[in-house]
Amino acid sequence: MLNRRQFVGAAASAALLARIPRAHAAPAPYDVLIRGGRVIDPSRNINAIRDIAISQGRIVAVEPSILGTTGETIDARGKIVIPGMIDLHTHCGRDRQNAPMTLSDGVTCWVDAGSNGADKIDESVANAKAAPNMGRVLINVGRAGILPEGDTMDISRADVAAARAAIERNRDTIIGVKARLSYNVAGANDLEAVRRAQAMVMPFNLPVMVHVGQTVSPMAKILELLKPGDVVTHLYAPEPNSIFDGNGRLFPEVQAARRRGIWFDFGNGQNGHVTWDVAERAVRAGFLPDTLSTDYNANSRSTGVIDLPNVMSKFLMLGVPLNQVVAMVTSNAAKVFPAFRDRGTLAVGANADVAVLELREGTFEFLDNYGGKRSGNQRLFPIATVMAGKHAPRA
Ligand SMILES: [Zn+2]
């Protein structure tokens, strides 16, 4: 044991020794330097031209100009540099094809929203673990997962014990339960499906994500069963039972749910989840999504989804400022699930997950899920992704 004086002396000379070689060394060698881009990081309130230095999988500096040798330089001049994006509603857990595609789009974290239930959840979990980006999984309330005849049309499929056992053995990857509630999925069992989803997560204190739109039960009845931290996806689904009453007014229960801490997610998808009419009314009413997501699956590239930057561009077209659109896929999304709490940021010390996008001017057409078209004059395109400090190859 050292006494106090010996300890202070030893510490001081150790500090001195540590300092001397550093003062004489060449500038730190970085693994990756992202140079000259417009860095937009809502978590740090940054919107400015910055260099970003990355070493050993971490962000080590975000400065107007960084000198130093580097393994690789990504020239981001004229581009937008944001935290790696978090897509909260995908089906990347279904197979191994889609996750690498989303990584190319700038998505460094994704959630598979209920592709599988208790019976096959281990497949989703294995696919998530094999993904080149960070994958997490919501288990479907129905034990057979997504079924053409409806996940919970037969409510006995919402098996609480089976789901709890599946969560228990996959605590590192399953982060909640997903319940699809449309009439062709749950029939008149929509409310019971939510009750059972809540029973499944209760011992683990996890969120439930509900897919709304075209439900048998009214929105207010569904929202009543949600707790703070739960997520409503497809928030701009059209009537019947949308976020609007029949007279075009936002239900007060919807505003109240947001005040209670329930998240509202976009969930672009392909069929039945959004019309421009509902989206435009909601934007006029000031009811924007907290998070944007693709509902990504094998057809997304060839339908109105394309990629997450295209989904973001739809909100630029609707008049939402770029900063706010970026927050929806980074800092906001990071708050929804504890698994992502240290993601969605370019803070020094954070995981080096970075998306480089380009905002191009022109005329771009954007689709809703009903063949509705709008044209906008800006669209974001993915340029490069850095995942855990490494420049990801394009899929
Ligand atoms: Zn989905």
Side-chain angles (χ1 to χ4, degrees):
M1 284 286 283
L2 300 174
N3 67 31
R4 189 175 180 280
R5 181 178 297 169
Q6 284 168 324
F7 175 77
V8 170
S13 47
L16 202 62
L17 283 175
R19 209 176 303 131
I20 291 165
R22 200 169 292 162
H24 293 279
Y30 301 116
D31 297 333
V32 180
L33 204 48
I34 304 173
R35 245 195 228 292
R38 171 159 296 274
V39 171
I40 301 180
D41 180 3
S43 81
R44 314 289 292 168
N45 234 337
I46 294 175
N47 184 338
I49 305 297
R50 290 283 182 270
D51 289 351
I52 298 179
I54 292 165
S55 245
Q56 296 182 328
R58 301 269 159 187
I59 308 273
V60 294
V62 181
E63 300 290 340
S65 177
I66 298 173
L67 300 173
T69 58
T70 177
E72 185 188 2
T73 300
I74 298 175
D75 182 1
R77 286 172 300 172
K79 310 292 192 293
I80 288 162
V81 180
I82 68 175
M85 296 187 282
I86 303 168
D87 190 341
L88 291 184
H89 183 166
T90 75
H91 293 280
C92 290
R94 237 177 218 159
D95 53 40
R96 303 209 173 170
Q97 316 306 313
N98 291 319
M101 309 276 279
T102 64
L103 183 62
S104 295
D105 301 340
V107 172
T108 53
C109 304
W110 51 260
V111 177
D112 180 278
S115 300
N116 284 314
D119 294 344
K120 288 189 177 171
I121 198 66
D122 297 302
E123 287 177 20
S124 293
V125 168
N127 290 338
K129 286 180 172 167
N133 33 18
M134 178 183 179
R136 291 293 181 272
V137 168
L138 300 175
I139 182 172
N140 194 304
V141 68
R143 61 180 303 155
I146 294 177
L147 289 178
E149 67 267 34
D151 314 357
T152 50
M153 208 62 89
D154 169 1
I155 195 65
S156 72
R157 290 205 177 95
D159 183 329
V160 174
R164 283 183 181 174
I167 296 170
E168 187 66 60
R169 65 176 186 269
N170 294 292
R171 289 303 309 272
D172 58 347
T173 307
I174 299 179
I175 58 172
V177 173
K178 169 81 181 293
R180 303 199 307 145
L181 303 179
S182 307
Y183 69 84
N184 59 344
V185 176
N189 296 324
D190 50 3
L191 299 180
E192 182 58 16
V194 181
R195 284 187 207 103
R196 293 194 190 188
Q198 297 293 10
M200 289 168 184
V201 297
M202 211 235 305
F204 311 101
N205 191 28
L206 294 173
V208 168
M209 178 188 278
V210 295
H211 143 156
V212 299
Q214 302 90 33
T215 53
V216 169
S217 300
M219 183 66 71
K221 289 280 169 208
I222 295 167
L223 295 175
E224 242 172 48
L225 298 175
L226 301 185
K227 61 187 186 302
D230 287 346
V231 185
V232 173
T233 189
H234 307 314
L235 90 162
Y236 292 162
E239 277 129 353
N241 295 326
S242 75
I243 58 173
F244 291 103
D245 66 20
N247 301 312
R249 280 185 305 259
L250 200 64
F251 279 116
E253 290 88 347
V254 170
Q255 298 275 24
R258 172 165 276 175
R259 283 195 298 272
R260 273 195 306 124
I262 288 152
W263 302 102
F264 287 85
D265 173 66
F266 182 56
N268 192 128
Q270 296 177 29
N271 292 305
H273 303 318
V274 56
T275 68
W276 287 131
D277 172 56
V278 173
E280 286 161 353
R281 274 194 279 154
V283 171
R284 276 199 299 276
F287 200 79
L288 293 174
D290 296 297
T291 56
L292 302 183
S293 62
T294 54
D295 201 352
Y296 200 93
N297 65 47
N299 302 326
S300 295
R301 280 280 187 269
S302 55
T303 60
V305 173
I306 304 177
D307 53 27
L308 189 54
N310 187 53
V311 173
M312 295 161 75
S313 307
K314 295 180 181 189
F315 285 83
L316 298 177
M317 184 269 292
L318 290 167
V320 180
L322 178 59
N323 256 319
Q324 209 174 335
V325 170
V326 170
M328 290 171 179
V329 293
T330 60
S331 52
N332 287 8
K335 290 177 199 150
V336 176
F337 293 100
F340 303 130
R341 226 152 246 171
D342 60 352
R343 307 285 167 149
T345 180
L346 297 172
V348 169
N351 292 287
D353 298 350
V354 188
V356 181
L357 307 178
E358 183 171 6
L359 184 62
R360 294 186 195 148
E361 310 281 327
T363 303
F364 303 99
E365 192 169 80
F366 298 109
L367 298 175
D368 66 13
N369 286 175
Y370 288 81
K373 291 174 186 166
R374 293 286 185 276
S375 80
N377 51 24
Q378 291 181 314
R379 160 130 149 58
L380 289 160
F381 288 85
I383 299 296
T385 309
V386 173
M387 176 76 208
K390 294 196 171 60
H391 189 175
R394 287 202 68 81

